[in-house]
């Protein structure tokens, strides 16, 4: 089992709809969870992080965490074409010094 | 103003050559990293340094040698380049604090080995 798993996509969502991105992880001891966005040809940038079970909202983005199911998701409301990118789920393991990234989900918002 | 910078941005070279990539961060972070991102976009950690000390060394060929002259710099030297080394290499830094493990990435170096 991979340490951090994501569907590679592409996930195609119409503009204005909700995009739902999912991630599962294997280390039950993980305490924090990150979502990075990476535009084509650019470097990853952090858009959301979550530490506690439940939902965390930031503008159009909502991160959802379920530690019992080892599942973290990212919802993007009112999707815009500028949201088209690869979204990487990231989980620190053992210490803050090692973050394991998922393989990323490519999201495409169609006008 | 650039927080994490890398040079060069592009590197095209022949198989068998030796090349270096440089990284600098001005965020005052203690921990720096090298990642390799292959053509399938999978971002995999190679090395991590904390205050000039190697703390993570994933299964990477000996041809790759990181060097950290001070905590603001982490360079990557690659000997005897192979076709499979072609990828984008990202440098990153973080505070190394479990309470704040966010990593900041450089712009990447696209290495093409011919």
């Amino acid at each position: 089992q991979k340490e951090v798993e994501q569907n590679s996509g592409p996930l195609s969502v119409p503009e204005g709809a909700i995009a739902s991105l999912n991630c599962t992880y294997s280390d039950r001891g993980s305490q924090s969870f990150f979502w990075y966005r990476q535009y084509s040809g650019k470097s990853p940038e952090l858009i959301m992080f979550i530490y506690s079970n439940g939902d965390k909202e930031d503008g159009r983005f909502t991160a959802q965490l379920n530690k019992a199911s080892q599942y973290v998701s990212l919802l993007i409301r009112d999707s815009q074409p500028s949201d088209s990118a690869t979204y990487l789920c990231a989980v620190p393991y053992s210490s803050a010094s090692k973050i394991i990234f998922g393989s990323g989900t490519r999201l495409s918002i169609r006008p | 103003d650039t927080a994490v910078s890398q040079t060069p941005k592009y590197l095209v070279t022949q198989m068998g050559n030796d090349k270096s990539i440089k990284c600098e961060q001005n965020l005052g972070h203690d921990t720096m990293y090298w990642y390799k991102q292959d053509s399938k976009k999978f971002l995999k950690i190679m090395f991590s340094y904390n205050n000039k000390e190697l703390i993570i060394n994933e299964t990477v060929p000996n041809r790759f040698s990181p060097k950290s002259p001070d905590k603001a710099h982490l360079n990557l030297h690659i000997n005897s380049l192979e076709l499979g080394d072609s990828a984008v290499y990202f440098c990153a830094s973080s505070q190394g604090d479990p309470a704040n493990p966010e990593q900041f990435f450089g712009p990447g170096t696209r290495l093409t080995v011919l």
Side-chain angles (χ1 to χ4, degrees):
Chain A
Q1 182 193 2
K2 289 184 185 171
E3 292 169 291
V4 179
E5 289 205 59
Q6 298 179 250
N7 277 332
S8 59
L11 174 65
S12 180
V13 172
E15 186 174 355
I18 295 176
S20 177
L21 305 162
N22 304 317
C23 172
T24 57
Y25 59 94
S26 60
D27 184 359
R28 285 196 170 275
S30 295
Q31 297 297 315
S32 54
F33 306 87
F34 296 81
W35 283 100
Y36 282 79
R37 178 178 62 200
Q38 186 175 24
Y39 290 115
S40 182
K42 301 293 185 184
S43 55
E45 56 174 333
L46 183 71
I47 55 169
M48 284 288 284
F49 64 91
I50 186 166
Y51 296 97
S52 306
N53 271 333
D55 295 1
K56 179 183 176 184
E57 192 173 314
D58 183 2
R60 295 186 297 111
F61 297 96
T62 299
Q64 298 176 317
L65 175 60
N66 183 326
K67 289 186 179 180
S69 300
Q70 294 174 254
Y71 176 93
V72 58
S73 64
L74 179 70
L75 302 178
I76 307 175
R77 288 183 302 284
D78 187 25
S79 298
Q80 305 294 311
S82 60
D83 296 325
S84 297
T86 296
Y87 290 80
L88 303 166
C89 175
V91 182
Y93 271 62
S94 302
S95 70
S97 297
K98 183 171 178 177
I99 292 184
I100 304 295
F101 284 81
S103 55
T105 298
R106 192 155 55 93
L107 174 66
S108 174
I109 307 300
R110 55 182 192 273
Chain B
D1 272 329
T2 308
V4 183
S5 59
Q6 293 178 229
T7 54
K9 191 166 171 63
Y10 299 97
L11 188 51
V12 181
T13 188
Q14 300 284 335
M15 259 175 36
N17 284 349
D18 304 338
K19 290 292 178 187
S20 292
I21 308 172
K22 295 187 176 182
C23 178
E24 176 180 359
Q25 55 96 3
N26 63 5
L27 296 167
H29 289 162
D30 288 339
T31 307
M32 296 183 73
Y33 313 79
W34 277 111
Y35 287 88
K36 178 180 180 181
Q37 189 170 47
D38 60 25
S39 57
K40 294 184 179 177
K41 302 297 186 187
F42 188 48
L43 193 63
K44 187 166 170 55
I45 189 164
M46 301 171 69
F47 301 103
S48 174
Y49 271 73
N50 181 269
N51 274 321
K52 303 193 296 177
E53 272 194 51
L54 181 66
I55 54 172
I56 293 175
N57 184 353
E58 294 294 294
T59 308
V60 176
N62 290 339
R63 300 181 294 102
F64 290 80
S65 52
K67 281 192 173 48
S68 182
D70 56 61
K71 73 174 194 176
H73 296 84
L74 179 61
N75 303 324
L76 183 65
H77 188 76
I78 315 170
N79 288 328
S80 304
L81 279 155
E82 301 178 356
L83 293 177
D85 298 331
S86 296
V88 180
Y89 291 84
F90 286 102
C91 176
S93 73
S94 74
Q95 291 180 339
D97 174 3
N100 185 11
E102 179 185 357
Q103 296 187 7
F104 294 80
F105 285 81
T109 296
R110 182 173 293 276
L111 171 64
T112 303
V113 182
L114 303 174

